[in-house]
Amino acid sequence: MSNSLPTAINVAKFGGTSVANFAAMKNCAQIIADNPNTRVVVVSASAGVTNHLVKLANTPLTQQQIHQVVEDIRNIQLSILNDLGAPNDVAEKLNALILSMAELASHEELLHSDELKDSLLSFGERMSSLLFAEVLKQTVVKGENFDIRKVLKTDSTFGQAVPDLQSIKSHAETLMKPELVDSVLVTQGFVGADQQGKTTTLGRGGSDFTAALLAEALDAQSCEIWTDVVGVYTTDPRITDAARPLPELSFEEAAEMANFGAKVLHPATMEPALRKNIKVFVGSSREPEKGGTWIVRDCADEPPYRAITRRKQQVMVTVKTPKMMHAQGFLQQVFTIIAKHSLSVDLVTTSEIAVSFTLDNPANSVAEKLNRDTLDELREFCEVVVESDYDLVTVVGNNMHSAAGVSAKIFSSVDKYNLRMICYGANPHNMSFLVHQDDSSNIVKQLHRNLFEQV
Ligand code: ADP
Ligand code: ASP
Ligand code: MG
């Protein structure tokens, strides 16, 4: 590695499966060694660890059960430590982290404190980054573990913290940039700190967002998202074997895909990339030689439809008031409450006496979005019906509304299913359907056949 700052910095992020064990970490270290521009490495927690931590944070457990979950986490990390040859300094730091994690897991206020939950969730990335920095050192690259809480400043919305861009920029300039001259910083995705220094998290899957935020703050030229698939596909390859990787995508298309459920990218990942025109690469850390997807501002080709996404576990809320016909301001009242509770609404339909809207309600989210307070407030002035078991299927593309024949092709693919809501996006990049969860896989497969598998 040369002892100067490269003119084109690359930030590389490695997801949970990429840092699941020592062998997977070695692949990642090789990818870093192969690109001298990579100076910042963002890691997720080792696969499974965050789910274990969420379980500890959200479920009432006996001491015995808590102990068992902590042991499961410990075993994942110790196996990596052992494969590393258990160097003393790393072993000591890891044991100290595991001890603090175990203490927090038994804290009697844990289940009631979002602040404590975030502290607990941060341990996954703190442990994986400690171990990965050591793997990197043993490769050839001088890797240093860096505590991202010094830089990634956020507000105090525990569980879904909002980054403070200016503060991140200035801290990255002073605390990270000088270090990049002769080392690669290995840091934690997903984790941040509020103004008082309290640990926050960015929401599930947030490590992609961390990488993009750091790329923006450091004026990087590129940001790589290394995961378990060889790029962004026409649809989730777990839904159909016919899904195929896309060589190139526009920022807007990728942003829509991420927002509408393509788990390969956290929904906010494209925001910093768009602001600063940073190219984003998505590839597989197991098979880097297979290439991947480049997400760029100006794509050579912007077809009417590019991909199909699915977001599971959507909730439809219908609020009804017989007074709505006369009561101006009803909608405003409903949406004021939604805004107050920071709920993000996707689809909305209105009739004379009712308004229905959908909310994302993902599994394992730290903050249950549709909380009791919101419903209680709505019930004060209207009748509220909550229905679950829905998935949102979205076709993502370009100028879908005006391209001739596109709607017909899409609708003919779904006409035998019961669609609860249909929505042309407010922008020309998406068209969404709310469908029963039992139908969604078949709908995605059928759409994929009609849109992508016919010549
Ligand atoms: P990581 O742990 O590396 O962040 P994730 O599990 O969060 O990985 O994201 C990768 C997964 O995203 C893939 O295994 C795949 O099942 C899923 N996925 C959903 N939609 C897409 C898509 N359109 N293209 C590629 N992968 C997708
Ligand atoms: N470890 C966190 C999660 O599982 C963040 C991430 O992997 O991006 O949600
Ligand atoms: Mg992810």
Side-chain angles (χ1 to χ4, degrees):
M1 185 163 123
S2 69
N3 280 355
S4 62
L5 200 58
T7 44
I9 296 177
N10 178 47
V11 175
K13 176 259 171 176
F14 296 91
T17 46
S18 303
V19 295
N21 52 48
F22 183 69
M25 283 189 176
K26 286 291 256 188
N27 290 337
C28 303
Q30 194 53 52
I31 290 171
I32 295 161
D34 287 344
N35 183 355
N37 289 343
T38 304
R39 295 298 166 103
V40 176
V41 170
V42 173
V43 293
S44 292
S46 301
V49 169
T50 309
N51 281 350
H52 283 315
L53 291 168
V54 168
K55 183 171 177 194
L56 290 169
N58 288 352
T59 333
L61 299 172
T62 62
Q63 279 304 318
Q64 169 71 27
Q65 289 168 319
I66 294 173
H67 178 75
Q68 189 51 56
V69 179
V70 169
E71 269 310 285
D72 291 345
I73 297 173
R74 191 163 169 267
N75 289 337
I76 295 174
Q77 311 292 210
L78 283 191
S79 107
I80 303 175
L81 181 74
N82 290 337
D83 287 344
L84 265 167
N88 277 340
D89 54 334
V90 183
E92 242 172 62
K93 287 182 191 159
L94 183 65
N95 286 330
L97 283 171
I98 293 172
L99 207 64
S100 319
M101 175 183 74
E103 263 174 41
L104 202 47
S106 296
H107 195 295
E108 47 183 39
E109 286 305 309
L110 179 63
L111 294 182
H112 314 289
S113 161
D114 291 342
E115 184 184 326
L116 292 178
K117 287 176 202 263
D118 266 6
S119 288
L120 182 66
L121 291 187
S122 73
F123 279 92
E125 272 71 10
R126 286 157 69 191
M127 294 188 288
S128 63
S129 61
L130 170 72
L131 292 164
F132 188 71
E134 191 61 26
V135 174
L136 209 52
K137 275 184 202 159
Q138 292 189 3
T139 311
V140 268
V141 178
K142 191 177 161 225
E144 295 295 337
N145 192 13
F146 182 88
D147 188 341
I148 202 59
R149 292 172 294 183
K150 295 191 279 187
V151 168
L152 211 127
K153 302 296 175 186
T154 68
D155 71 0
S156 305
T157 318
F158 297 103
Q160 200 74 50
V162 178
D164 175 345
L165 302 181
Q166 259 181 351
S167 183
I168 294 171
K169 171 103 187 146
S170 68
H171 287 94
E173 293 270 351
T174 51
L175 300 175
M176 291 183 103
K177 235 181 199 166
E179 301 292 317
L180 305 183
V181 173
D182 64 356
S183 33
V184 172
L185 295 183
V186 177
T187 195
Q188 307 82 37
F190 177 58
V191 175
D194 73 3
Q195 283 197 327
Q196 286 83 47
K198 290 178 182 157
T199 302
T200 57
T201 64
L202 302 177
R204 293 303 307 264
S207 300
D208 305 323
F209 190 25
T210 304
L213 287 166
L214 292 180
E216 175 179 39
L218 293 163
D219 303 309
Q221 299 273 310
S222 54
C223 175
E224 295 172 351
I225 307 290
W226 293 98
T227 177
D228 59 357
V229 281
V230 296
V232 179
Y233 284 58
T234 44
T235 194
D236 186 345
R238 285 179 209 204
I239 302 178
T240 165
D241 290 343
R244 50 184 166 73
L246 298 159
E248 203 178 55
L249 270 180
S250 70
F251 286 151
E252 286 81 9
E253 290 167 326
E256 292 293 304
M257 287 185 73
N259 198 21
F260 283 103
K263 185 174 168 245
V264 65
L265 294 168
H266 177 275
T269 313
M270 297 315 299
E271 290 169 11
L274 256 158
R275 282 194 293 266
K276 287 288 176 66
N277 189 17
I278 301 164
K279 291 179 295 184
V280 175
F281 173 84
V282 179
S284 162
S285 65
R286 233 177 319 150
E287 302 172 299
E289 69 288 349
K290 290 204 171 157
T293 303
W294 276 104
I295 306 170
V296 296
R297 186 173 58 188
D298 300 310
C299 242
D301 161 43
E302 294 194 341
Y305 39 84
R306 179 85 86 182
I308 305 159
T309 60
R310 172 176 68 178
R311 207 158 69 187
K312 292 176 76 75
Q313 286 170 304
Q314 306 301 290
V315 170
M316 181 163 75
V317 181
T318 302
V319 289
K320 276 190 210 159
T321 168
K323 290 186 229 120
M324 188 175 173
M325 270 184 292
H326 311 292
Q328 284 159 0
F330 172 70
L331 279 182
Q332 193 191 352
Q333 244 178 315
V334 170
F335 283 99
T336 305
I337 291 171
I338 289 169
K340 186 174 131 197
H341 292 276
S342 308
L343 300 176
S344 149
V345 167
D346 292 305
L347 307 190
V348 183
T349 55
T350 57
S351 71
E352 269 179 317
I353 58 153
V355 45
S356 298
F357 51 87
T358 64
L359 300 168
D360 195 14
N361 193 38
N364 286 333
S365 56
V366 184
E368 263 277 297
K369 286 194 173 177
L370 185 67
N371 59 40
R372 195 148 288 284
D373 296 350
T374 316
L375 294 179
D376 287 348
E377 272 187 56
L378 286 170
R379 286 200 171 107
E380 275 171 27
F381 66 97
C382 51
E383 189 188 315
V384 183
V385 180
V386 180
E387 293 171 79
S388 43
D389 304 335
Y390 290 112
D391 290 353
L392 189 66
V393 172
T394 303
V395 180
V396 173
N398 301 279
N399 297 317
M400 215 179 295
H401 311 176
S402 46
V406 172
S407 304
K409 208 163 180 172
I410 293 174
F411 282 112
S412 68
S413 314
V414 294
D415 60 3
K416 67 175 193 279
Y417 296 97
N418 179 16
L419 311 175
R420 281 307 300 264
M421 279 197 199
I422 301 174
C423 188
Y424 275 106
N427 65 38
H429 295 291
N430 69 67
M431 189 189 289
S432 290
F433 307 101
L434 190 72
V435 303
H436 195 270
Q437 63 184 16
D438 297 342
D439 293 332
S440 71
S441 291
N442 285 334
I443 290 178
V444 171
K445 284 182 194 157
Q446 187 59 49
L447 273 167
H448 197 272
R449 263 194 294 274
N450 288 8
L451 298 182
F452 299 109
E453 297 167 45
Q454 289 169 351
V455 265

